[in-house]
């Protein structure tokens, strides 16, 4: 083992020896084994599960809130933070080593290029942000909106999806509106009709989720953006639940802007966000947080993301998470999420005492399923599943349970959940 690695392993081992911490810094978290050409069967996914320091005997079904970080990613973060704190005096900040000490002043072109390949855009159209809410605000606060301009959300937004638009309505005198979504949503045309029912000649922005956070509904965003473009309306999509859960091709979708939190389905460390703004419109977006490059007209993505000192170790983890995703493979990863989501829904559909609030149209569903069980509230059902089998989904509202599945989950874990639910009939 190289001296650097040996020091890191010994040092972090001492720090992380407390009994409540399960991450083992002495373990080899290499992802070489995940590159296998063998079929991606249950044995392969069991190997993937071992990449996560989740405690054995407990099952995490709340990826829609926060994805657990793979050991490979944590290892890269700890390695970076330990090494550059020890070797700080050896860094020549002015000659290329600055990003090893702090973030917020550098373009990170390599990482942005990797992200551009995932969502299909040029790296200069991507800004690295802290989360989806930052992305929404960078766009909202950067638009040149006037009193009377109409801003359209849906009635199923996350708080990070409506806050900026409500603020702008109050601050600038814009008119804030919401389109009422069908529940459950099984027909894409119903959603399209609900959106454009609220559109008028004064509508300047349509800001809607790509996936509705509470129900997991995959929205017909391409059709909505196509129609909005015909009417000269700016479109921005809340993709907080999307990158890493479903395919995201921003050029095919045709939106003007798109933001996401990669600490959810891409399993990056918290604080890893992404903002895309189409090169054809980004010149009209004012910089929200200004630093040296606030007026950089060559790399607008960098212009909008240069926001002062941040955690360089986090950036090392961010890039490691993207590498982890690419090692397993875009299509393999997303197909597994979809497979497990459908497996859960197929089981729930067989139970008469279960109400599905998520879409039963598989073209509009992926890894999130929201449902209710007769005679139990959402919090009661969440507590019941934890106490009986140490299964941890998340209650939503008073009646519903939101159940997320991801690549670290197994069909056996889903079977245990279904058995518990069936027993409540």
């Amino acid at each position: 083992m190289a001296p650097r690695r040996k020091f890191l392993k010994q040092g972090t081992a001492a720090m992380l020896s407390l009994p409540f911490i399960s991450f083992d810094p002495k373990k080899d978290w290499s992802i070489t084994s995940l590159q296998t050409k063998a079929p991606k069967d249950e044995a392969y996914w069991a190997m993937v599960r071992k990449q996560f320091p989740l405690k054995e005997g407990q099952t995490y079904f709340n990826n829609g809130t926060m994805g657990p970080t793979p050991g490979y990613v944590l290892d890269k973060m700890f390695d970076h933070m330990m090494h550059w704190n020890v070797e700080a005096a050896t860094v020549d900040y002015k000659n290329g080593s600055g990003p090893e000490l702090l973030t917020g002043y550098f373009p990170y072109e390599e990482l942005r290029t990797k992200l551009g390949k995932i969502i299909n855009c040029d790296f200069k159209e991507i800004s690295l942000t802290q989360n989806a809410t930052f992305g929404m605000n960078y766009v909202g606060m950067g638009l040149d909106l006037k009193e009377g301009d109409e801003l359209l959300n849906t009635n199923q937004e996350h708080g990070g999806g409506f806050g900026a638009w409500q603020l702008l309505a109050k601050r600038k005198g814009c008119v804030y509106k919401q389109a009422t979504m069908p529940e459950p949503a099984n027909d894409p045309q119903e959603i399209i009709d609900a959106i454009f029912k609220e559109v008028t000649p004064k509508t300047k922005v349509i800001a809607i989720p790509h996936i509705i956070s509470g129900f997991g509904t995959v929205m017909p965003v391409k059709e909505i953006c196509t129609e909005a473009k015909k009417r000269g309306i700016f479109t921005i999509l809340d993709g907080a639940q999307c990158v890493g859960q479903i395919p995201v091709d921003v050029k095919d979708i045709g939106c003007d802007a798109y933001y996401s939190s990669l600490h959810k389905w891409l399993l990056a460390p918290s604080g890893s966000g992404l903002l895309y703004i189409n090169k054809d419109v980004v010149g009209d977006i004012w910089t929200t947080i200004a630093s040296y490059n606030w007026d950089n007209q060559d790399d607008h993505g960098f212009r909008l993301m240069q926001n002062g000192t941040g955690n360089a170790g986090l950036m090392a983890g961010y890039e490691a998470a993207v590498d982890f995703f690419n090692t397993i493979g875009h299509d393999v990863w997303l197909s597994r999420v979809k497979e497990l989501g459908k497996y859960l829904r197929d089981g729930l559909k067989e139970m008469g005492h279960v109400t599905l609030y998520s879409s039963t149209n598989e073209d509009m569903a992926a890894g999130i399923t929201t449902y209710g069980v007769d005679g139990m509230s959402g919090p009661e059902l969440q507590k019941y599943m934890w106490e009986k089998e140490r299964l941890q989904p998340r209650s939503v509202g008073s009646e519903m349970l939101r159940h997320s599945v991801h690549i670290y989950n197994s069909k056996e874990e889903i079977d245990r959940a279904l058995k518990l639910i069936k027993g409540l009939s």
Side-chain angles (χ1 to χ4, degrees):
M1 181 182 293
R4 170 183 172 185
R5 298 293 295 172
K6 182 177 180 181
F7 169 79
L8 291 165
K9 298 302 185 185
Q10 291 175 345
T12 51
M15 291 189 301
L16 301 177
S17 59
L18 297 175
F20 57 84
I21 295 182
S22 61
F23 180 72
D24 183 0
K26 294 179 290 184
K27 179 178 176 179
D28 180 9
W29 292 100
S30 170
I31 55 176
T32 303
S33 61
L34 302 182
Q35 298 172 339
T36 176
K37 300 297 183 182
K40 302 303 187 284
D41 55 12
E42 293 304 312
Y44 176 81
W45 295 112
M47 182 170 61
V48 170
R49 169 64 179 80
K50 293 179 181 178
Q51 284 284 334
F52 295 82
L54 292 162
K55 186 178 289 186
E56 294 300 326
Q58 299 178 355
T59 301
Y60 187 67
F61 282 136
N62 188 24
N63 202 96
T65 296
M66 176 70 71
T69 309
Y72 173 77
V73 176
L74 293 170
D75 198 41
K76 292 293 185 182
M77 293 174 65
F78 291 163
D79 187 337
H80 186 284
M81 288 188 288
M82 285 295 295
H83 180 76
W84 294 107
N85 275 281
V86 171
E87 297 291 338
T90 68
V91 174
D92 184 346
Y93 181 82
K94 286 288 187 180
N95 292 309
S97 298
E100 305 296 356
L101 285 184
L102 72 162
T103 69
Y105 295 99
F106 310 101
Y108 287 97
E109 292 184 6
E110 184 176 350
L111 173 55
R112 290 161 66 205
T113 297
K114 292 177 182 179
L115 292 168
K117 290 179 179 178
I118 293 174
I119 67 170
N120 186 29
C121 67
D122 185 87
F123 79 88
K124 290 184 178 181
E125 296 176 295
I126 288 179
S127 301
L128 305 178
T129 64
Q130 183 170 319
N131 53 45
T133 304
F134 272 55
M136 175 191 63
N137 277 272
Y138 283 170
V139 175
M141 302 308 159
L143 286 168
D144 191 16
L145 296 169
K146 304 289 192 300
E147 182 178 356
D149 287 347
E150 294 183 358
L151 316 174
L152 181 59
N153 269 163
T154 75
N155 67 328
Q156 294 180 0
E157 303 293 331
H158 185 281
F162 66 66
W165 312 110
Q166 292 182 350
L167 169 61
L168 286 165
K170 186 173 184 179
R171 177 184 173 191
K172 292 194 171 186
C174 298
V175 178
Y176 177 76
K177 301 171 71 174
Q178 290 185 343
T180 301
M181 295 292 97
E183 296 182 29
N186 293 313
D187 182 353
Q189 190 60 48
E190 289 184 5
I191 293 175
I192 296 168
D193 292 344
I195 294 289
F196 286 96
K197 179 182 177 182
E198 303 299 331
V199 169
T200 76
K202 293 184 178 180
T203 303
K204 300 300 180 183
V205 176
I206 293 178
I208 58 174
H210 189 176
I211 289 181
I212 292 174
S213 181
F215 298 105
T217 307
V218 182
M219 300 270 279
V221 290
K222 180 177 179 178
E223 293 81 359
I224 292 168
C225 291
T226 298
E227 181 60 29
K229 190 169 187 177
K230 294 177 183 177
R231 305 185 188 204
I233 301 171
F234 187 96
T235 52
I236 176 169
L237 302 182
D238 177 355
Q241 297 284 0
C242 298
V243 180
Q245 182 179 182
I246 62 171
V248 176
D249 183 332
V250 292
K251 296 304 182 183
D252 182 62
I253 292 169
C255 55
D256 292 305
Y258 193 104
Y259 57 85
S260 187
S261 288
L262 303 191
H263 58 254
K264 295 181 184 288
W265 295 88
L266 205 77
L267 309 179
S270 56
S272 304
L274 172 156
L275 170 64
Y276 156 83
I277 306 178
N278 187 289
K279 64 180 183 298
D280 295 334
V281 299
V282 70
D284 297 328
I285 306 293
W286 286 92
T287 301
T288 297
I289 298 178
S291 189
Y292 291 102
N293 277 269
W294 74 270
D295 200 26
N296 186 332
Q297 297 300 306
D298 175 63
D299 186 347
H300 288 281
F302 181 34
R303 166 173 71 87
L304 294 170
M305 67 183 252
Q306 195 189 44
N307 53 21
T309 302
N311 186 338
L314 168 64
M315 295 302 296
Y318 191 161
E319 186 153 14
V322 174
D323 292 341
F324 184 81
F325 173 82
N326 287 332
T327 297
I328 292 176
H330 177 281
D331 293 347
V332 172
W333 177 298
L334 300 184
S335 294
R336 179 61 173 180
V337 172
K338 176 73 173 185
E339 177 188 5
L340 293 178
K342 185 176 185 300
Y343 188 82
L344 172 62
R345 285 186 291 276
D346 285 347
L348 293 172
K349 289 174 185 177
E350 299 297 319
M351 303 181 195
H353 64 300
V354 171
T355 300
L356 276 171
Y357 295 98
S358 292
S359 181
T360 55
N361 178 346
E362 282 299 323
D363 291 337
M364 300 173 67
I368 294 176
T369 306
T370 304
Y371 58 95
V373 175
D374 292 348
M376 295 192 78
S377 69
E380 287 172 341
L381 184 55
Q382 177 182 328
K383 181 179 179 182
Y384 175 78
M385 296 182 77
W386 177 252
E387 291 180 346
K388 290 293 184 181
E389 287 283 351
R390 290 296 185 261
L391 309 177
Q392 190 67 275
R394 173 186 166 177
S395 62
V396 179
S398 60
E399 302 299 327
M400 300 178 293
L401 194 73
R402 189 182 70 179
H403 200 140
S404 305
V405 293
H406 210 316
I407 61 170
Y408 51 81
N409 291 129
S410 67
K411 291 182 178 178
E412 184 275 332
E413 290 173 330
I414 296 173
D415 285 337
R416 287 195 284 125
L418 291 170
K419 183 177 179 180
L420 280 182
I421 297 166
K422 185 175 182 180
L424 294 171
S425 61

